Every structure is written in structure tokens, then in C-alpha cells.
Amino acid sequence: MQLVVARIGRAHGIKGEVTVEVRTDEPEQRLAPGAVLATDPASTGPLTIETGRVHSGRLLLRFEGVRDRTAAEALRNTLLIAEIDPAELPEEEDEYYDHQLMDLDVVTKDGLEVGRITEISHLPSQDLFIVERPDGNEVMIPFVEAIVTEIDLEEQRAVIDPPPGLIDDRAEIVSARDEGAAEDADAHEGTDEGAAEGTDADGDRP
């Protein structure tokens, strides 16, 4: 299986180094010297990593055969693609590759169907599940332990315990209206017949 592990950025210096936008949790393994990577577009690869180093918080790579700034700049925006075993698991416990999480069914701990994971968004602060709801809408679910309580690859599902409003931001509004309706009903207890008829007329309100 092929996975995008990085995107090449601008050239750095005059000796063929490039900056890279890392898209893997294991750059020390996927982007190590000697690694041979396919590319998109395919015409620029495959590329073999010759050296790698961190400079000012960014990973710099140099590829075999790329010796000057002009050659390095020609690689800009190229995607680097690694071939991995689909059955391979990350080294750290409770970590997963994106392809293992894609298409998992998402359900609440009470068994309510939420939808299906269609995308994993990697943000600086956290990862997000992009979940397609049965009605076609999307909801974003933070991939944090407090919310995603279980990943069951065998059953192909992710179990969540969402805080109020995460799945449906109308839930609290509806709840408030329900409480208001209940209070109105209590207020009308013991009123005369005309008032009771008025309450019945408003009975369709949420």
C-alpha cells in the first residue's frame, strides 16, 4: 500500500537540499537516508534520500543526483510516497496509520450511528476525524482519548463519547425548547377551559 509521507517545499541553499512538509508520524523511519520513495508526479521519481537533517525546526533532505539549487527547486511541491505493508502497525501503542482508520463506522458508546470516517485531518494541535453523516453532512471529531474511547479494527468501528453539541449543535437548543414547553405546560395547570384550549393550539411547538 502506498502512503504520502511528505511534500517537497522550496530549495534550501545551493547544494541541492530541500525543505519538506512531513506527513507521517514516523519521519525517522520513512524519511531516513537510503529510503527510496515514489513520487507524484511520477516523472520526478523515484527519489533516494541521501542525507537528512533538522534546521530551524524544519526537516531538510537531499536526494541522490540532486546537486544544485536549480535541480532542487524543480522538485518543489512533489509528493513523496512510501510503500508499506497494509498489516503493519505503528510502533507506539494506541497509534494508527490513516489507512487503518479510513471508512471505520463511528458510533456512540450508546450504539447511536454517527457516520463513517472519510478523511483524517492532521492539524498542529490535534488530529480530526472527518465523518460523513447518514444524511450526507459532515462532522469533525477530535481524535483524543476523552472523545474517541475505542478503536476496534476487527469490528471496523470507532466508539466515541461526544460532549454536548459535538455531533449536533442543535441538541442544546432543542433541549432548551423542550424545557420551556414543559414549564409552559406546568404554568397552565388549573387554568380555565379557554386557556387550556390555547395551550392545545400551541401543542405543535417543540
Side-chain angles (χ1 to χ4, degrees):
M1 169 176 253
Q2 291 188 324
L3 292 179
V4 174
V5 294
R7 182 182 67 85
I8 297 177
R10 62 186 180 184
H12 178 84
I14 61 174
K15 297 183 178 180
E17 284 186 311
V18 296
T19 62
V20 293
E21 173 191 317
V22 177
R23 297 189 180 181
T24 172
D25 292 331
E26 299 172 320
E28 68 285 348
Q29 177 182 351
R30 306 296 178 197
L31 301 172
V36 180
L37 302 169
T39 61
D40 182 7
S43 58
T44 61
L47 295 173
T48 301
I49 298 176
E50 186 174 279
T51 63
R53 65 187 180 98
V54 176
H55 175 72
S56 299
R58 300 203 67 177
L59 179 61
L60 302 179
L61 297 180
R62 179 161 44 223
F63 301 100
E64 291 183 3
V66 180
R67 290 289 177 259
D68 56 40
R69 187 178 184 87
T70 300
E73 192 63 37
L75 298 175
R76 192 167 185 170
N77 292 325
T78 296
L79 298 179
L80 300 176
I81 303 169
E83 187 75 37
I84 72 166
D85 183 346
E88 180 181 343
L89 294 174
E91 294 181 358
E92 296 295 326
E93 187 177 356
D94 295 330
E95 288 189 357
Y96 304 88
Y97 293 129
D98 285 6
H99 72 272
Q100 295 172 311
L101 300 172
M102 291 291 290
D103 292 325
L104 292 187
D105 292 325
V106 179
V107 299
T108 67
K109 64 179 184 178
D110 298 323
L112 177 68
E113 179 186 2
V114 178
R116 178 178 60 88
I117 298 175
T118 58
E119 183 182 344
I120 315 295
S121 179
H122 299 284
L123 303 180
S125 58
Q126 65 186 3
D127 295 333
L128 293 174
F129 290 163
I130 310 301
V131 178
E132 182 178 327
R133 303 297 304 275
D135 62 5
N137 291 322
E138 290 185 339
V139 61
M140 293 183 291
I141 297 177
F143 187 20
V144 295
E145 186 176 357
I147 296 176
V148 182
T149 60
E150 180 185 357
I151 297 292
D152 190 334
L153 295 181
E154 185 174 339
E155 295 294 331
Q156 286 290 286
R157 69 176 185 176
V159 180
I160 66 171
D161 184 12
L166 178 63
I167 295 177
D168 188 348
D169 57 9
R170 296 170 299 173
E172 295 182 358
I173 298 175
V174 172
S175 177
R177 287 178 177 173
D178 287 342
E179 291 176 0
E183 291 174 358
D184 289 343
D186 291 340
H188 284 296
E189 287 183 1
T191 56
D192 59 24
E193 184 177 357
E197 289 175 353
T199 301
D200 289 341
D202 292 336
D204 291 337
R205 292 181 299 175

